[in-house]
Amino acid sequence: MTESEHRTVLLRGGDVHSPADPFATAMVVERGHVAWVGSEGAADAFASGVDEVVDLEGALVTPAFTDAHVHTTATGLALTGLDLSGARTLAEALERVRAHSAARPADKVLLGHGWDAARWPERRPPSRTELDEAAGGRPLYLPRVDVHSAVVTTALLDLVPGVTGLSGHHPDQPLTGAAHHAVRAAAHAAVTPGQRAEAQRAALRRAASLGIGTVHECAGPEISDEDDFTALLALAAEEPGPRVVGYWAEAVSGEKDARRIRELGAIGAAGDLFVDGSLGSHTACLHEPYADAAHTGTAHLDAAAVAAHVAACTEAGLQAGFHAIGDAAVGAVVDGVRAAAEKVGLARVRAARHRVEHAEMLTPETIAAFAELGLTASVQPAFDAAWGGEGGMYAERLGAERARTLNPYAAMLRAGVPLAFGSDSPVTPLDPWGTVRAAAFHRTPEHRISVRAGFTAHTRGGWRATGRDDAGVLVPGAPADYAVWRADELVVQTPDDRVARWSTDPRSGTPGLPDLTPGADLPVCLRTVVSGRTVFVRPNE
């Protein structure tokens, strides 16, 4: 424990968001944990016995956020490299490629991220010929925003012998499947350890600056590599910053596999263990064909493979999990986990808190199964903000009727499904308050949840998803992971006005949160603290 973690600190003169005291204005932190939460008058008794008194000057203190699904190195490479998420046209994207190529003459492979042809007037991705010209004939890897397909230059293909014979290779279309994984591996192999560490630091700095105290790194052999994963965990352990909880998405068949997962430093064989792909890339696995393509997507794992993984992980005391987006993929997960429960026992499966990433296309039956099986839904509300609604990508891929069923957060909470919120960064940006806003103002009104429920899913929900119920909330004994915010008036926002009126009555004892109405300014992070150690201070504050 560092000297700063030993210090006893009194924060006072603000609003402390705590179920221990809905009107708290002060908090004491000692030995990396919350020691006391209470009122301004009671704080006077502590003032003389602490090492430091912090005047909050009216600021809000909340638990630090947990982002339950992050690709840290890829996020950092997007922050430090070529980011096409803001490109408004295909022509602008190609111009950004030209500028990036000129600015990075020493890079063996050029890396970019974030293009989305669905948002461009041209309605198509760049061709290989266009990319070859823009990159000046150099190797270039450009994954689509969902990272399930990519466009590349001829020079990068030349680095991957036999790629044209792999499934998912298309001469003039984005690469998917095995071909995509092969070129991604070649591109990432060209990243030097120095570049990688620079990217990881950039991502963790950005997270800390947004009040994120913990990130769940969703790694695996098809996403990154073991060196990247172990280097990130080592860097996070050695340097001040958000804590990193690691998941390694590799199938487990027995104790030997489980031991190797643990030796890597992962807490689970979960995260992006792919049952299917994504809607944007037409690779999510559906029961009925896409509205704009004559097929049902791609299945990577069936119910039997899911059952084998879950049973082996449960027997080994290891958390299991999967990436599942389409309704057929989610159904395969449910059927597989249920089969595993019949083999090893429902109570053991529930206790393991296995998790499902994304879980977008759910039915009342699969929602009920998630609750029955104790599955945590690790979800990304920003997906709905980006691609939901009548004119969005979901409606284009699925038709308006199916699209309206996606991401049904209210029904999941009513059924008792545990939710953990994340970004899947760099697919959507690290943006915790924006994520809560997206859930509270879902594009489909019946799926909206209260700001308080969304905030809980993005704080305590992330900790619960790792098996810990004693964190993500500011109560005595909890880890001192908190953020200090400049925010306007605190309110209680729910989709039901009657609930909101009662919740704002002092008798309800409901602590308020910032107004997240679309268009309102989001809170500004002034300070982020992890285990009592300050990991971010806003400049000039």
Side-chain angles (χ1 to χ4, degrees), residues 29-55:
V29 172
E30 186 173 37
R31 300 183 69 82
H33 288 76
V34 177
W36 172 85
V37 174
S39 67
E40 200 59 33
D44 289 336
F46 292 99
S48 61
V50 299
D51 298 308
E52 182 183 1
V53 177
V54 175
D55 182 356

Side-chain angles (χ1 to χ4, degrees), residues 133-448:
E133 183 277 322
R138 297 170 65 190
L140 168 70
Y141 170 66
L142 279 184
R144 189 185 180 279
V145 62
D146 58 13
V147 202
H148 285 271
S149 58
V151 290
V152 301
T153 55
T154 304
L156 181 58
L157 287 177
D158 290 344
L159 297 178
V160 189
V163 67
T164 56
L166 295 176
S167 64
H169 177 269
H170 311 283
D172 279 314
Q173 291 295 319
L175 306 182
T176 60
H180 176 216
H181 295 157
V183 296
R184 175 164 57 194
H188 286 178
V191 176
T192 66
Q195 280 178 292
R196 184 174 64 206
E198 173 197 15
Q200 291 170 348
R201 286 191 185 98
L204 294 176
R205 276 198 303 269
R206 173 64 63 90
S209 75
L210 295 167
I212 297 170
T214 302
V215 299
H216 295 180
E217 166 66 14
C218 290
E222 293 188 355
I223 315 265
S224 53
D225 60 52
E226 292 182 14
D227 289 345
D228 179 86
F229 183 62
T230 55
L232 171 65
L233 295 182
L235 183 143
E238 291 161 8
E239 300 182 7
R243 70 178 83 231
V244 177
V245 176
Y247 287 96
W248 186 254
E250 193 162 9
V252 170
S253 60
E255 179 56 44
K256 182 180 176 184
D257 293 340
R259 194 180 315 118
R260 203 181 74 77
I261 299 280
R262 288 196 180 93
E263 286 167 357
L264 284 173
I267 72 159
D272 280 334
L273 185 52
F274 294 115
V275 179
D276 68 345
S278 74
L279 291 164
S281 290
H282 291 99
T283 50
C285 191
L286 314 179
H287 283 306
E288 301 295 330
Y290 283 87
D292 60 349
H295 62 83
T296 56
T298 308
H300 298 298
L301 298 174
D302 61 13
V306 169
H309 180 67
V310 170
C313 286
T314 305
E315 295 275 19
L318 195 65
Q319 197 177 16
F322 305 92
H323 160 120
I325 286 178
D327 51 0
V330 172
V333 169
V334 163
D335 291 345
V337 176
R338 188 172 278 130
E342 289 170 4
K343 180 182 177 186
V344 302
L346 177 60
R348 291 180 70 192
V349 164
R350 286 180 59 88
R353 301 194 191 187
H354 304 308
R355 49 190 280 173
V356 184
E357 309 302 314
H358 316 309
E360 292 199 80
M361 291 183 72
L362 293 158
T363 63
E365 292 75 24
T366 49
I367 290 172
F370 269 51
E372 174 201 349
L373 299 166
L375 295 173
T376 295
S378 169
V379 296
Q380 296 74 37
F383 286 10
D384 174 71
W387 302 308
E390 294 296 316
M393 182 269 287
Y394 290 154
E396 193 175 296
R397 294 285 183 272
L398 301 171
E401 189 177 339
R402 271 192 296 178
R404 275 193 295 272
T405 68
L406 262 61
N407 301 302
Y409 303 137
M412 295 163 87
L413 284 180
R414 280 196 302 272
V417 176
L419 295 184
F421 279 0
S423 62
D424 198 5
S425 178
V427 175
T428 61
L430 299 167
D431 179 17
W433 286 114
T435 295
V436 177
R437 171 188 276 172
F441 294 91
H442 198 296
R443 290 181 180 274
T444 306
E446 60 263 36
H447 300 330
R448 292 175 179 170

Side-chain angles (χ1 to χ4, degrees), residues 502-527:
W502 164 244
S503 298
T504 50
D505 187 308
R507 290 171 296 173
S508 75
T510 303
L513 284 164
D515 181 357
L516 300 186
T517 304
D521 290 337
L522 292 174
V524 174
C525 185
L526 306 179
R527 181 181 293 261

